Amino acid sequence: MQRALSVSRMTGNKSTFPDWYQAIVREADMAESSPVRGSMIIKPWGYGVWERIQQTMDRRIKEMGVDNAYFPLFIPLGFFAKEAEHVDGFAKEMAVVTHHRLKSIDGKLQPDPDAKLEEPLIVRPTSETIIGDAFSRWVKSYRDLPLKINQWANVVRWEMRTRLFLRTSEFLWQEGHTAHATREDALASTLLALEMYREFSENVLAMPVVAGEKPENERFPGADATYSIEAMMQDGKALQAGTSHYLGTSFSRAQNIRYQSDSGEMEFCHTSSWGTSTRMIGGVIMTHGDDDGLRLPPAIAPRQIVIVPMLRGKEEDAQVLAYAEGLVKDLNAQVALGEPIRALLDVKDQKSSDKRWNWVRRGAPVIVELGPRDAAGGQVSFMRRDRLRDGDKVKSQALARDEFVAEAPALLAEIQQSLFDEAKARLDANIRSDLTSFEQVAEYFGQLSDEDEETSAFKGWVRAPWSRPTGAELDKVVERLKALKLTLRNAPSQQPASFGPCVFTGAPGVEEILIGRSY
Amino acid sequence: MQRALSVSRMTGNKSTFPDWYQAIVREADMAESSPVRGSMIIKPWGYGVWERIQQTMDRRIKEMGVDNAYFPLFIPLGFFAKEAEHVDGFAKEMAVVTHHRLKSIDGKLQPDPDAKLEEPLIVRPTSETIIGDAFSRWVKSYRDLPLKINQWANVVRWEMRTRLFLRTSEFLWQEGHTAHATREDALASTLLALEMYREFSENVLAMPVVAGEKPENERFPGADATYSIEAMMQDGKALQAGTSHYLGTSFSRAQNIRYQSDSGEMEFCHTSSWGTSTRMIGGVIMTHGDDDGLRLPPAIAPRQIVIVPMLRGKEEDAQVLAYAEGLVKDLNAQVALGEPIRALLDVKDQKSSDKRWNWVRRGAPVIVELGPRDAAGGQVSFMRRDRLRDGDKVKSQALARDEFVAEAPALLAEIQQSLFDEAKARLDANIRSDLTSFEQVAEYFGQLSDEDEETSAFKGWVRAPWSRPTGAELDKVVERLKALKLTLRNAPSQQPASFGPCVFTGAPGVEEILIGRSY
């Protein structure tokens, strides 16, 4: 039996995982490279997944009492100079607009020298500075707090080595920005966003994650604390799928975001920001994909049940189509996972077996093939994409039509849960927590050459006690890990009651931290 | 009784209409100018309107069989050189990215000379070229046609004179792009989009429009035909609220979008594109606003029914709040205009009369004020924003609680219809169609000085027969009109059976065309 993809993800051949990833992105029609270096085209099926992510997360954001708004794409260069640490973090990778007109000179179109901007504009890499500037006008009194704003937007961070969804110069994201009267409120808001991301990732993307605080060296430029959710990909690497930052008063001081307190004093606000992006789609692919292509959790599948009619150019086709149309209509009237079911009848002019593999590669959760016998017998033959294979055999099941319609919501919920359970079992099985020294950690992960960087040899992560070193001591830890292509991921929110000695410094441990290779 | 806005829209003072518009945008909390010249910040209430527009139009776009996708923000300069007529139309107003890094030089951040792009990138003013390039890869055979794609995105057209929502350097929009095998199919698709815009504008925005074909001089750069919907603002000016273009084969020739026909020949596709933008929000303001602020049609109001509790810091407050919360819950369980009602309890720490005027200015369709007596008596006192005033008196009504909940869907539908009817009556009453010569047209509109340009003195439009001149003859017509600050809007789709002579050339008329001042 053929594999739907030309490349398998786990052959032991180190280069295959990235090749497999690329093959899925291409074969599942998710996205493609564009003629603009570093930018991608998100194709309809991939964008449909993003729309599902947007809709389901936006509901959660609104439930947090956060309002959506829209801020300018361009940020004046001078804004970056205000927050010194922030600009250091981003200075290397920004698109700079210097002219506002083109002109034909010597028969060649070029930037018009007479239309040079007095101050260059930066295409936003993130919007703390421009939103903070607005906050400084909007916040006057404690009555205006908390101020909670979210933006869905495109951002640009110039990247030299790009990979579709995972690292592109332009990407789509949401960025939440909040201002509060106190440290406690801002920190609570930061952690509320983190928890929303965890819940979203696990319940909507079916992607288990570990939520926790990033070490100092991995903080967002200018932040007092950065938290993340980390997901384990099928090659064992970590993908940071969302971050939430407590910014203290550093941005509000740089931008004069102040409020008059109850007692009449002018105080600086404490701010937070938090974001997730189209990168999550890369995470979904590397969490759920198999050697036949993508497997989409029903909650984000643009189409959850796809019906492929088996037509033979005969008069009985009309009967099959009528039967299929009735089925789609009844399915779409059902509610699964809190929303109307999204079923589709695929009437493209294409062979039905090609259609079937198309939907297998794209990861539609349930694929129904309907022929004249199904129509006559009032039954439905379907396959669950999450359990497509029994060894090399494609598994399909049959149910009476009305039973299938009635069971569809439970079926989709079960697929959603089953994908999560599979990924959760993999995550849990691949975090080692019995290593007690850096030497053991180094031995476990082993040395990787530059060429090996693409693989982590399926080692997963290590969870080990550490003493939370700072400054130069932390730099040394980071250096030692870097030589092994390892990074500190986060200190999980859930910690044990006591800790052994730090695997790096030997000092008493104060928390456990995750170590792994990463995207 | 106070007016909610500090400026009235129609005092006869020529400068008041633009001032009034600005006052609404500000006082209704819709948007504000940003520190980036020409770019706006869309505030939560304004963005909420845009979200409603997006959701309701996106449903229509999907029903047309169009898929959403996302294309790069940046377009290589070379792409513009391919379609000569197109670049002439846009060349004057594009943001140009020339560097991809900043550097601190002599203590000052500036574009890094070592990070100059080999080929400058243009921030998309529209995406025909970059989407056409993708189409050239995606279309191979007639089986791939029609190809119908839509994108929700930000675009940038450098503007010197900007006005919030109406003309800003960056704005949000949707752009539909389709490719077809034949002229007939592409033209049908162009007109289908136009009809969708008309229906959307009238049924969702409650903004009556005239749909028709733009004259040659007003065509989109590179198009074979451009159609528009034109709405009449309360100052009598026309606002072009949406356009749909039949592009013929000019873009597909420039970008090699070809398909293999049934018979094996390679043929160029016929393409179309169509767009609407945040400009529509400006249209809504200038169609429905009054001297108390904005009046929002319920279909796009982020909140349709706002409940202002009248609290006195007494123990009875708890009863009022509980009563109000129960009311919001029951209202939100009702369906109006095809969707769950969006009711809100305003619990901000603010005087209730300030709150009331806040919601009046913002244009919430129904405002409920609940006091202890309402709670005790089980009734609801409310005002319809569309009929706020009876002379200078604010009109409010009362209903028994359960009756109010039961009647709410009908009430919202009635407000939607009533706003449309009011605007439709104004449109119909202000199109003159009895003028038979250019001299009469000139006399009717009268001469305007440059300073008068902001007003059209409430003259509305003229609908007159013309001979559809082209080339130099058309240029002359356009010149003559320009001297009077007039433009040709469109030739309405609905035309009479016969025509008098052309008001410009005296030749036999072939259709009627709309003439007016415009935004």
Side-chain angles (χ1 to χ4, degrees):
Chain A
M1 170 72 59
Q2 69 178 91
R3 291 278 164 192
L5 293 186
S6 54
V7 54
S8 173
R9 69 198 181 289
M10 287 182 189
T11 59
N13 179 339
K14 283 173 292 195
S15 70
T16 54
F17 196 81
D19 289 349
W20 167 84
Y21 177 78
Q22 278 196 313
I24 288 206
V25 172
R26 182 181 62 242
E27 299 286 318
D29 243 355
M30 296 291 282
E32 65 183 33
S33 296
S34 85
V36 187
R37 216 191 46 70
S39 293
M40 66 179 158
I41 294 170
I42 308 179
K43 298 180 78 173
W45 188 249
Y47 196 78
V49 171
W50 180 242
E51 285 184 305
R52 298 293 315 140
I53 288 175
Q54 277 195 298
Q55 284 161 20
T56 49
M57 188 183 286
D58 195 64
R59 215 176 296 143
R60 286 166 168 80
I61 290 172
K62 288 193 166 86
E63 277 166 14
M64 289 162 64
V66 179
D67 287 322
N68 285 335
Y70 188 77
F71 295 83
L73 172 68
F74 298 138
I75 301 179
L77 175 55
F79 275 47
F80 284 89
K82 288 187 189 168
E83 225 295 305
E85 201 179 333
H86 185 62
V87 72
D88 282 350
F90 281 98
K92 294 192 183 81
E93 36 173 337
M94 300 197 270
V96 188
V97 176
T98 54
H99 294 73
H100 64 81
R101 195 188 303 138
L102 290 176
K103 193 178 180 180
S104 188
I105 302 173
D106 302 333
K108 207 179 149 236
L109 265 185
Q110 36 196 293
D112 182 348
D114 294 335
K116 194 172 172 188
L117 297 173
E118 278 182 36
E119 181 183 22
L121 295 172
I122 308 304
V123 182
R124 62 181 163 221
T126 180
S127 303
E128 275 75 10
T129 56
I130 190 99
I131 293 182
D133 180 71
F135 277 20
S136 73
R137 291 189 303 277
W138 297 355
V139 175
K140 294 192 171 77
S141 125
Y142 68 93
R143 286 198 178 85
D144 301 319
L145 299 175
L147 178 58
K148 300 187 278 188
I149 296 288
N150 178 66
Q151 165 170 274
W152 291 95
N154 52 347
V155 286
V156 172
R157 300 174 186 180
W158 209 262
E159 297 283 355
M160 286 302 159
R161 293 179 56 191
T162 59
R163 197 179 294 184
L164 295 172
F165 291 118
L166 298 175
R167 188 183 294 115
T168 48
S169 289
E170 180 191 7
F171 55 92
L172 304 182
W173 81 342
Q174 61 67 222
E175 47 181 321
H177 298 268
T178 70
H180 307 263
T182 65
R183 177 179 192 283
E184 291 64 41
D185 283 0
L187 204 50
S189 180
T190 309
L191 293 172
L192 187 68
L194 182 73
E195 168 57 16
M196 185 271 282
Y197 287 159
R198 183 204 63 73
E199 184 274 332
F200 174 85
S201 182
E202 301 201 332
N203 291 345
V204 179
L205 307 180
M207 183 168 81
V209 292
V210 177
E213 187 179 351
K214 303 292 278 185
E216 190 184 288
N217 63 305
E218 297 273 358
R219 276 185 201 145
F220 177 72
D224 280 14
T226 286
Y227 300 83
S228 72
I229 51 169
E230 305 279 335
M232 187 183 288
M233 303 294 99
Q234 287 184 70
D235 60 354
K237 282 191 184 174
L239 183 85
Q240 177 178 298
T243 51
S244 186
H245 316 288
Y246 166 59
L247 304 173
T249 58
S250 54
F251 279 82
S252 66
R253 281 172 200 276
Q255 298 183 290
N256 201 31
I257 310 173
R258 297 200 298 168
Y259 70 97
Q260 189 167 39
S261 74
D262 217 345
S263 62
E265 305 283 304
M266 292 306 292
E267 309 269 7
F268 285 111
C269 288
H270 293 254
T271 64
S272 88
S273 68
W274 27 278
T276 54
S277 73
T278 35
R279 179 170 231 228
M280 284 187 293
I281 298 175
V284 165
I285 294 171
M286 292 193 292
T287 299
H288 301 303
D290 67 15
D291 289 348
D292 287 313
L294 186 52
R295 297 185 304 170
L296 280 173
I300 55 166
R303 299 295 183 170
Q304 298 166 315
I305 303 177
V306 174
I307 295 162
V308 175
M310 301 202 282
L311 306 176
R312 286 170 188 150
K314 303 263 172 73
E315 56 195 279
E316 59 191 20
D317 285 359
Q319 199 196 337
V320 172
L321 282 172
Y323 183 68
E325 277 161 15
L327 182 61
V328 165
K329 202 169 153 241
D330 288 356
L331 286 169
N332 286 343
Q334 295 278 87
V335 169
L337 301 164
E339 288 178 277
I341 286 183
R342 299 179 291 279
L344 172 78
L345 174 60
D346 181 354
V347 291
K348 228 190 148 194
D349 179 7
Q350 196 178 30
K351 268 171 59 188
S352 65
S353 64
D354 288 348
K355 285 189 198 181
R356 181 216 301 156
W357 284 108
N358 229 345
W359 291 111
V360 166
R361 282 193 299 268
R362 289 167 155 228
V366 177
I367 301 165
V368 174
E369 287 184 300
L370 285 187
R373 233 183 307 170
D374 298 298
Q379 67 163 24
V380 172
S381 306
F382 66 97
M383 53 185 90
R384 277 176 61 161
R385 177 63 185 89
D386 64 320
R387 299 189 186 160
L388 182 68
R389 302 269 181 183
D390 176 9
D392 262 358
K393 197 175 165 313
V394 171
K395 270 167 70 176
S396 78
Q397 300 167 251
L399 279 178
R401 180 198 184 282
D402 292 349
E403 200 184 342
F404 178 75
V405 172
E407 290 296 320
L411 176 65
L412 292 171
E414 194 187 316
I415 293 172
Q416 181 80 24
Q417 186 64 45
S418 158
L419 285 171
F420 176 78
D421 290 345
E422 190 183 322
K424 183 74 166 83
R426 187 170 54 238
L427 174 69
D428 290 343
N430 288 285
I431 303 183
R432 278 199 74 161
S433 52
D434 59 341
L435 305 180
T436 56
S437 69
F438 180 76
E439 289 64 34
Q440 284 181 1
V441 173
E443 190 187 2
Y444 174 66
F445 281 105
Q447 199 76 38
L448 284 183
S449 72
D450 274 356
E451 279 157 28
D452 288 325
E453 203 186 347
E454 291 292 5
T455 179
S456 65
F458 319 115
K459 289 292 188 179
W461 307 339
V462 163
R463 184 174 169 136
W466 81 328
S467 57
R468 206 171 176 155
T470 57
E473 200 178 17
L474 175 60
D475 291 346
K476 222 172 81 183
V477 169
V478 171
E479 269 315 298
R480 286 170 78 185
L481 290 170
K482 199 176 168 192
L484 295 162
K485 316 272 186 209
L486 291 168
T487 54
L488 298 166
R489 304 315 304 155
N490 70 27
S493 304
Q494 310 287 336
Q495 291 280 345
S498 64
F499 310 92
C502 174
V503 291
F504 303 108
T505 64
V510 298
E511 64 187 3
E512 288 185 348
I513 189 150
L514 288 177
I515 304 161
R517 284 166 184 146
S518 74
Y519 280 91
Chain B
M1 169 70 59
Q2 69 179 93
R3 290 278 163 194
L5 292 186
S6 55
V7 55
S8 173
R9 69 198 181 288
M10 287 183 190
T11 58
N13 178 340
K14 283 172 293 197
S15 70
T16 55
F17 196 81
D19 291 348
W20 167 84
Y21 177 78
Q22 276 197 313
I24 289 207
V25 171
R26 183 180 61 242
E27 300 286 318
D29 243 356
M30 296 292 282
E32 64 183 34
S33 295
S34 85
V36 186
R37 216 190 47 71
S39 294
M40 66 179 158
I41 294 170
I42 308 180
K43 298 181 79 173
W45 189 248
Y47 195 78
V49 171
W50 180 241
E51 285 184 304
R52 298 292 316 140
I53 288 176
Q54 276 195 299
Q55 284 161 20
T56 47
M57 189 184 285
D58 196 64
R59 215 174 298 143
R60 286 165 169 79
I61 290 172
K62 288 193 166 87
E63 276 165 16
M64 287 162 65
V66 178
D67 287 322
N68 284 336
Y70 188 76
F71 295 83
L73 171 68
F74 298 138
I75 301 180
L77 175 53
F79 275 48
F80 285 88
K82 288 186 190 168
E83 225 295 308
E85 202 179 331
H86 185 62
V87 73
D88 283 348
F90 282 98
K92 294 194 182 81
E93 36 172 338
M94 300 198 270
V96 189
V97 176
T98 54
H99 295 72
H100 64 80
R101 194 188 305 141
L102 290 177
K103 194 179 180 179
S104 187
I105 302 173
D106 302 332
K108 206 179 149 237
L109 265 185
Q110 36 197 293
D112 183 349
D114 293 336
K116 194 171 173 189
L117 297 173
E118 278 182 38
E119 182 182 22
L121 294 172
I122 307 304
V123 181
R124 61 181 162 220
T126 180
S127 303
E128 276 74 10
T129 56
I130 190 98
I131 294 182
D133 179 72
F135 278 19
S136 74
R137 292 189 302 277
W138 297 355
V139 174
K140 294 193 171 77
S141 122
Y142 68 95
R143 286 198 177 85
D144 302 318
L145 299 176
L147 178 58
K148 300 187 278 187
I149 296 288
N150 178 65
Q151 165 169 275
W152 291 95
N154 52 347
V155 286
V156 172
R157 299 174 187 180
W158 209 262
E159 296 283 354
M160 287 303 160
R161 293 180 55 190
T162 59
R163 197 178 294 183
L164 295 171
F165 290 119
L166 297 174
R167 188 183 294 114
T168 48
S169 289
E170 181 191 6
F171 55 92
L172 304 181
W173 81 342
Q174 62 66 221
E175 48 181 323
H177 297 269
T178 69
H180 307 262
T182 64
R183 179 181 190 284
E184 290 65 40
D185 283 0
L187 204 50
S189 180
T190 308
L191 293 172
L192 186 67
L194 181 73
E195 168 57 16
M196 185 271 283
Y197 288 158
R198 184 205 63 74
E199 184 275 331
F200 174 85
S201 182
E202 302 201 330
N203 291 345
V204 178
L205 307 180
M207 184 169 79
V209 293
V210 178
E213 186 178 353
K214 303 293 276 185
E216 189 184 290
N217 63 304
E218 297 274 357
R219 275 183 201 148
F220 177 72
D224 280 15
T226 286
Y227 300 83
S228 73
I229 52 170
E230 305 278 335
M232 187 184 287
M233 304 294 99
Q234 287 184 70
D235 60 355
K237 282 190 186 174
L239 183 85
Q240 177 178 297
T243 49
S244 186
H245 316 288
Y246 166 58
L247 304 173
T249 57
S250 54
F251 279 82
S252 66
R253 280 171 201 276
Q255 299 184 289
N256 201 31
I257 311 173
R258 297 199 296 169
Y259 69 98
Q260 189 167 38
S261 73
D262 217 345
S263 62
E265 304 284 303
M266 291 306 293
E267 309 270 6
F268 284 111
C269 287
H270 293 253
T271 65
S272 88
S273 68
W274 28 277
T276 55
S277 74
T278 35
R279 180 170 230 227
M280 283 187 293
I281 298 175
V284 165
I285 294 171
M286 293 193 292
T287 299
H288 301 303
D290 66 17
D291 289 348
D292 287 314
L294 186 52
R295 297 187 303 170
L296 280 173
I300 55 165
R303 300 295 182 169
Q304 297 165 315
I305 303 178
V306 174
I307 294 162
V308 175
M310 301 201 284
L311 306 176
R312 281 158 194 162
K314 303 263 172 73
E315 55 195 277
E316 60 191 18
D317 284 2
Q319 200 196 338
V320 172
L321 282 172
Y323 183 68
E325 277 161 15
L327 183 62
V328 165
K329 201 168 154 242
D330 287 355
L331 286 169
N332 285 344
Q334 295 277 87
V335 170
L337 301 164
E339 287 179 278
I341 285 184
R342 298 179 292 279
L344 171 79
L345 174 59
D346 181 354
V347 291
K348 229 190 149 195
D349 179 8
Q350 198 179 27
K351 268 172 57 188
S352 65
S353 64
D354 288 349
K355 284 189 199 180
R356 181 214 300 154
W357 284 108
N358 228 343
W359 292 111
V360 165
R361 283 193 298 269
R362 289 166 158 230
V366 177
I367 300 166
V368 175
E369 287 184 300
L370 285 188
R373 232 183 309 171
D374 298 298
Q379 66 163 26
V380 172
S381 306
F382 67 97
M383 51 185 92
R384 277 177 61 162
R385 177 62 185 92
D386 63 321
R387 298 190 187 160
L388 182 67
R389 303 268 182 182
D390 176 9
D392 262 359
K393 198 176 165 313
V394 171
K395 269 167 71 175
S396 77
Q397 301 167 252
L399 278 179
R401 179 198 186 281
D402 293 349
E403 200 184 342
F404 178 76
V405 171
E407 290 296 320
L411 176 65
L412 292 171
E414 194 187 317
I415 294 172
Q416 181 80 23
Q417 185 64 43
S418 157
L419 285 170
F420 175 77
D421 291 345
E422 190 182 322
K424 183 75 167 81
R426 189 170 53 238
L427 173 69
D428 290 344
N430 288 286
I431 303 182
R432 278 200 73 161
S433 51
D434 59 339
L435 306 180
T436 55
S437 69
F438 179 76
E439 288 64 35
Q440 285 182 0
V441 172
E443 190 188 359
Y444 174 66
F445 281 105
Q447 199 77 38
L448 285 182
S449 72
D450 275 355
E451 279 155 29
D452 289 324
E453 203 185 347
E454 292 292 6
T455 179
S456 66
F458 318 115
K459 288 292 189 181
W461 308 339
V462 163
R463 185 175 167 134
W466 83 326
S467 58
R468 207 172 176 153
T470 57
E473 200 179 16
L474 175 59
D475 291 345
K476 222 174 80 182
V477 169
V478 171
E479 269 316 297
R480 288 171 76 185
L481 290 170
K482 199 177 166 191
L484 295 162
K485 315 273 186 209
L486 291 169
T487 55
L488 298 167
R489 304 315 303 158
N490 70 28
S493 304
Q494 310 288 335
Q495 291 279 345
S498 63
F499 309 93
C502 175
V503 291
F504 303 108
T505 64
V510 298
E511 65 188 2
E512 288 185 349
I513 189 148
L514 288 176
I515 304 161
R517 284 165 184 148
S518 74
Y519 281 91

